[in-house]
Amino acid sequence: MAQVYVSVGSNIDRQRNIATALQALTENYGELQLSSVYESAAVGFDSAPFYNLVLGFSTQQSPQAVQEQLHAIENRCGRQRTAALSARTLDLDLLLYDDRVMADGKLVLPRDDINRYAFVLRPLAEIAGTLPHPVTGIRYADMWAAFDDETQPLTRIDWPPAASAAVE
């Protein structure tokens, strides 16, 4: 069984789309290891803030099959695929598949977002902090400790949201 880590993000109907993704992933892969949920500003484009988290699970599926499953879940949530950065109902990105290093079309492992974005690295470090990055060998907790997060502030969000929370 391979250990897989996936980043999850949404800035359109965030609570519903993330809850839908978590349910679908649990149905497909069983128990999920979840980070905290964080709110962050959109990076690289002007849009509503995102909710982000990282989750882990074990699977016997290939990386390509996992990616296909992630795209199917995004599609069920109305994901529109455009060339430009834009608001998203749901974004599911395969970050890690064990310690595999590969490039197969659009599937690149480990995903570069780990090194670039606080909304990926912080939650990954939270649930997989002792693991080393397959290329650099640096543990994710150490990568987060050295990350300059001043330009990408994160706010931890209570999850699951209270039933009485305001609808987005």
Side-chain angles (χ1 to χ4, degrees), residues 113-126:
D113 293 356
I114 295 168
N115 303 323
R116 297 175 30 204
Y117 300 119
F119 63 82
V120 175
L121 182 55
R122 182 175 182 184
L124 179 62
E126 188 178 304

Side-chain angles (χ1 to χ4, degrees), residues 80-125:
Q80 299 296 313
R81 298 187 193 286
T82 62
L85 292 174
S86 62
R88 295 190 176 94
T89 55
L90 187 62
D91 193 15
L92 300 174
D93 293 323
L94 181 57
L95 300 174
L96 297 164
Y97 185 97
D98 278 340
D99 59 357
R100 188 165 305 183
V101 177
M102 66 178 281
D104 180 15
K106 291 186 177 184
L107 177 58
V108 176
L109 296 171
R111 190 168 176 95
D112 289 341
D113 293 356
I114 295 168
N115 303 323
R116 297 175 30 204
Y117 300 119
F119 63 82
V120 175
L121 182 55
R122 182 175 182 184
L124 179 62

Side-chain angles (χ1 to χ4, degrees), residues 8-25:
V8 179
S10 174
N11 75 337
I12 298 173
D13 201 2
R14 303 177 297 186
Q15 292 177 2
R16 183 180 64 79
N17 286 314
I18 289 175
T20 299
L22 295 178
Q23 180 180 350
L25 289 163

Side-chain angles (χ1 to χ4, degrees), residues 3-5 33-35 54-56 95-96 121-133 138-143:
Q3 182 62 36
V4 172
Y5 292 93
Q33 181 184 13
L34 301 176
S35 74
V54 169
L55 56 85
L95 300 174
L96 297 164
L121 182 55
R122 182 175 182 184
L124 179 62
E126 188 178 304
I127 63 171
T130 61
L131 295 179
H133 188 282
I138 301 170
R139 295 176 336 130
Y140 296 112
D142 296 333
M143 288 174 68

Side-chain angles (χ1 to χ4, degrees), residues 46-47 53 86 98 147 161:
D46 188 27
S47 190
L53 70 143
S86 62
D98 278 340
F147 191 86

